[in-house]
Amino acid sequence: MTLTYVVNKGIYINLTNRCSNSCEFCIRQYGPTVYGSENLWLEREPTAEEVLADLEKYKLEDYEEIVFCGYGEPTECIDTLIEIAKAIKAKSNIQIRINTNGHGNLINGKDITPMFRGVVDIISVSLNTANAEDYVRICHPEFGEEAYSALIEFAKLSVPNAKKVVLSVVESTLPDEDIAKCDALAKSIGATLRVRPFE
Ligand code: SF4
């Protein structure tokens, strides 16, 4: 199983293939690998011990960050994620980021954002659209229209618990007026908007 892989100066951790969205643009539709990785479909979800053992093959000082991203939604495995992040922070100052769809509180049935404090530096939430209707049409969340307001609330609650919270949209998929709305939304909750390139 591929538990970790490298993208540029980041070590990416593949915790799960579960996801509460079925985005029409999801990279997982196009094959089992990204950025030259091995197959990212997991036979089963790894334990924290297995991931930490796999991380031993890297010299952390050679990298800029560790990213919980995976081939799925990492907050589906929040306890494993936090256990790994705490173990990394206990021995290294390397930056830790979570790339998430922002459904973590819905998935776990509680506010998980206080768990990030002191162990996760950056929370990057895929906002994708400027309104709930477009979000449902493109991302097909299992939580329905509630998912959009919930992900904004998740980002807002993350602000006091992380060093930085980013909302992201994909360049060229939104008109300028929608990007302006997303930017205003990000600012209103203390987050930053990132317009990322289409890959
Ligand atoms: S949230 Fe991410 S992993 Fe989940 S379906 Fe969308 S693009 Fe794929």
Side-chain angles (χ1 to χ4, degrees), residues 19 21-23 25-26 28 72 101:
C19 185
N21 268 349
S22 295
C23 300
F25 53 81
C26 184
R28 302 185 303 175
N101 63 18

Side-chain angles (χ1 to χ4, degrees), residues 21-116:
N21 268 349
S22 295
C23 300
E24 293 184 357
F25 53 81
C26 184
I27 198 168
R28 302 185 303 175
Q29 301 169 77
Y30 305 113
T33 69
V34 289
Y35 304 111
S37 71
E38 298 296 319
N39 188 342
L40 295 175
W41 292 117
L42 295 163
E43 295 152 23
R44 59 176 173 77
E45 289 173 348
T47 64
E49 290 74 22
E50 287 174 317
V51 173
L52 289 166
D54 199 65
L55 285 171
E56 291 290 325
K57 67 189 179 200
Y58 303 97
K59 278 171 69 181
L60 295 188
E61 56 270 32
D62 290 344
Y63 298 89
E64 291 176 358
E65 63 176 348
I66 289 183
V67 184
F68 289 93
C69 182
Y71 231 32
E73 167 50 38
T75 62
E76 294 271 7
C77 299
I78 191 62
D79 291 330
T80 306
L81 186 160
I82 294 296
E83 188 177 342
I84 295 165
K86 279 184 178 168
I88 295 167
K89 282 290 181 195
K91 64 175 186 178
S92 168
N93 282 329
I94 191 167
Q95 175 174 281
I96 296 182
R97 168 161 61 106
I98 299 178
N99 285 354
T100 175
N101 63 18
H103 300 179
N105 289 352
L106 290 175
I107 290 166
N108 292 284
K110 64 177 182 180
D111 178 12
I112 61 170
T113 61
M115 300 169 84
F116 301 147

Side-chain angles (χ1 to χ4, degrees), residues 15 46 48 54 58 60 69 79 101 104-105 118 123 127 140 160 164 172 177 182 191:
L15 279 188
D54 199 65
Y58 303 97
L60 295 188
C69 182
D79 291 330
N101 63 18
N105 289 352
I123 309 293
L127 179 64
H140 307 285
K164 186 173 181 184
S172 78
E177 66 201 61
C182 293

